[in-house]
Amino acid sequence: QVQLVESGGGSVQAGGSLRLSCPDSEYTYSDYCMGWFRQAPGKEREGVAAIDSDGNTSYADSVKGRFTISRDNAKNTLSLQMNSLKPEDTAMYYCATDLPPPCTVVPGTIGDEYAFWGQGTQVTVSS
């Protein structure tokens, strides 16, 4: 696998915002899906958001209306804008690339089909 590097994590109070970014690998397929996952202590990894090469998006129900995933194909970057953060959003967040389309967040899946993963960036939301 090619390692990706996330940035933008940190600690915020409930109601605050953070923006996560992840550069894409030069070895990834530009027409494949990209996504964000998260894993809290003692929990399974879960999909947060996904986006295809045309900008079509999919979100977990828990983040709809609060998170926005985007990609810049020219710059090979993937971003996740997180607004109205809640304590339950606290987790390690991972970017992932090269899931064959269609690109959909499916409850109960951990995204092992993605070819490339970042090392994770911690997001902590306090009450």
Side-chain angles (χ1 to χ4, degrees), residues 80-105:
L80 183 69
Q81 179 66 44
M82 304 184 293
N83 298 325
S84 301
L85 284 163
K86 305 175 181 179
E88 50 262 44
D89 294 319
T90 296
M92 185 73 73
Y93 283 72
Y94 302 88
C95 62
T97 65
D98 282 37
L99 174 71
C103 190
T104 305
V105 174

Side-chain angles (χ1 to χ4, degrees), residues 33-47:
C33 299
M34 306 176 74
W36 287 96
F37 292 78
R38 66 185 182 187
Q39 186 170 20
K43 301 290 186 178
E44 291 290 329
R45 187 171 64 204
E46 63 176 350

Side-chain angles (χ1 to χ4, degrees), residues 12-16 84-87 125-127:
V12 299
Q13 293 187 336
S84 301
L85 284 163
K86 305 175 181 179
V125 184
S126 60
S127 61

Side-chain angles (χ1 to χ4, degrees), residues 15-124:
S17 299
L18 286 173
R19 184 177 179 85
L20 308 183
S21 297
C22 181
D24 194 8
S25 170
E26 295 182 353
Y27 300 99
T28 61
Y29 299 113
S30 61
D31 57 344
Y32 276 21
C33 299
M34 306 176 74
W36 287 96
F37 292 78
R38 66 185 182 187
Q39 186 170 20
K43 301 290 186 178
E44 291 290 329
R45 187 171 64 204
E46 63 176 350
V48 175
I51 186 170
D52 67 16
S53 60
D54 294 322
N56 300 305
T57 60
S58 178
Y59 297 93
D61 288 341
S62 60
V63 306
K64 287 181 179 178
R66 300 188 298 118
F67 290 10
T68 302
I69 186 173
S70 61
R71 65 188 292 172
D72 187 328
N73 293 328
K75 298 180 179 179
N76 298 117
T77 57
L78 175 69
S79 299
L80 183 69
Q81 179 66 44
M82 304 184 293
N83 298 325
S84 301
L85 284 163
K86 305 175 181 179
E88 50 262 44
D89 294 319
T90 296
M92 185 73 73
Y93 283 72
Y94 302 88
C95 62
T97 65
D98 282 37
L99 174 71
C103 190
T104 305
V105 174
V106 180
T109 62
I110 63 175
D112 281 348
E113 299 88 353
Y114 280 90
F116 307 119
W117 291 84
Q119 84 288 349
T121 185
Q122 180 67 40
V123 171
T124 302

